[in-house]
Amino acid sequence: MADYHFVYKDVEGASTQWDDIQRKLGNLPPKPPAFKPDPFEPAPDPDSAPKDKSWIDEKTEEELEDLEDDLDDDRFLEEYRKKRLAEMREAVKISKYGSVIPISGSDFVREVSQAPQDVWVVVILYKEGFPECGLLLRCLEELAVKYPATKFVKIISTDCIPNYPDRNLPTLLVYNNGAVKANYVGLHSFGRRCTPEGVALVLCQSDPVLNDGQSGSDPSRKAVLEDVQRRFIEKVVTEHENHDDNGSSSD
């Protein structure tokens, strides 16, 4: 027996003459547009991309190292690759510091004497419960943030030097290339008022101890001292302006 309930379906997107008449009469909605796929575009080939400074900037340190033998024919890109690698390694070195690192006696040789040759290390010998030590530590903590390329460490005095006299606390030792470059015994070494700026000025009188990581890997003593003095003057001016503002508001 024939199935009279069967409905004939044309190819998707096709239209019969009857449908066209009904659409003209408004009995059917407009015919949807036929499906048209997007034009084919092959995926970009990374090797065919133009090689310039921006191409180098997008590379990681590992990728730049792998490119060492691939840029021999392009002297400019090879020099720029080396420059970017140096910048990345300097940034990694700087990120290691930025705070006053606690060490023990067994850590001293590794953390201080064997520090990289281009890194200045400031060591504070201290003990808990000594107000003078706490004051100098707070100054060093602020300097460690401002000068993250300089390594600051703290160690209990008698862990570093057995029987070290408490009357000498706090004591600062400055190391570079495995040797002691300066030492400061007692809080009076940093003037009547121990401030971060005053400590910075004392540390940089003879050597470029403080390095903010923005002045190159080996800044000169003069450049470092000028930077410290500039920061000191800026703070004095700011404090003076704040004092004037507070005085005006109270009138």
Side-chain angles (χ1 to χ4, degrees):
M1 182 177 179
D3 184 2
Y4 294 105
H5 297 284
F6 175 77
V7 177
Y8 174 75
K9 294 183 179 181
D10 206 343
V11 179
E12 184 177 1
S15 176
T16 64
Q17 187 176 14
W18 175 254
D19 289 339
D20 293 339
I21 294 173
Q22 294 301 313
R23 285 192 178 92
K24 288 181 179 180
L25 295 175
N27 296 328
L28 288 178
K31 178 182 176 183
F35 172 74
K36 184 178 181 181
D38 295 331
F40 173 74
E41 293 184 5
D45 182 5
D47 294 332
S48 64
K51 295 178 174 58
D52 52 17
K53 290 177 66 175
S54 61
W55 179 76
I56 292 286
D57 291 337
E58 294 173 355
K59 302 295 182 183
T60 64
E61 182 177 350
E62 293 77 10
E63 290 172 336
L64 288 177
E65 290 176 346
D66 293 339
L67 287 173
E68 182 175 4
D69 298 327
D70 297 342
L71 300 177
D72 291 340
D73 295 336
D74 194 322
R75 181 175 298 178
F76 169 76
L77 282 183
E78 175 59 16
E79 291 300 319
Y80 190 67
R81 181 191 73 85
K82 292 179 179 178
K83 178 184 176 183
R84 286 290 296 137
L85 265 177
E87 292 172 349
M88 288 180 176
R89 289 165 180 166
E90 181 71 14
V92 169
K93 181 182 70 175
I94 292 172
S95 66
K96 292 179 181 178
Y97 312 125
S99 64
V100 181
I101 305 167
I103 64 172
S104 63
S106 59
D107 300 328
F108 194 90
V109 172
R110 181 183 70 253
E111 296 291 342
V112 179
S113 303
Q114 295 179 353
Q117 294 183 3
D118 59 341
V119 173
W120 286 84
V121 185
V122 178
V123 184
I124 177 172
L125 309 185
Y126 78 107
K127 274 188 177 179
E128 298 289 351
F130 285 67
E132 296 86 352
C133 294
L135 177 57
L136 184 55
L137 267 173
R138 288 191 292 273
C139 293
L140 296 183
E141 286 165 356
E142 185 171 325
L143 293 178
V145 174
K146 292 180 178 178
Y147 300 98
T150 297
K151 187 174 185 178
F152 291 83
V153 302
K154 62 180 181 180
I155 181 171
I156 301 297
S157 57
T158 49
D159 286 352
C160 181
I161 305 173
N163 302 316
Y164 191 73
D166 289 349
R167 65 177 180 274
N168 291 343
L169 298 181
T171 296
L172 279 193
L173 306 176
V174 179
Y175 276 76
N176 181 246
N177 199 14
V180 178
K181 298 297 183 179
N183 63 83
Y184 305 95
V185 179
L187 201 62
H188 64 273
S189 302
F190 305 101
R192 295 174 58 186
R193 290 183 59 211
C194 184
T195 64
E197 294 75 24
V199 174
L201 285 171
V202 172
L203 288 175
C204 295
Q205 285 300 320
S206 301
D207 295 294
V209 176
L210 301 179
N211 186 353
D212 60 5
Q214 308 300 318
S215 307
S217 60
D218 188 21
S220 67
R221 169 186 168 276
K222 181 180 178 182
V224 172
L225 193 57
E226 287 177 349
D227 177 69
V228 171
Q229 291 170 338
R230 176 183 58 80
R231 291 173 185 255
F232 179 76
I233 293 172
E234 288 176 352
K235 181 171 183 179
V236 170
V237 171
T238 301
E239 290 178 347
H240 182 71
E241 291 175 345
N242 292 338
H243 178 74
D244 288 346
D245 292 341
N246 292 334
S248 299
S249 60
S250 62
D251 291 341

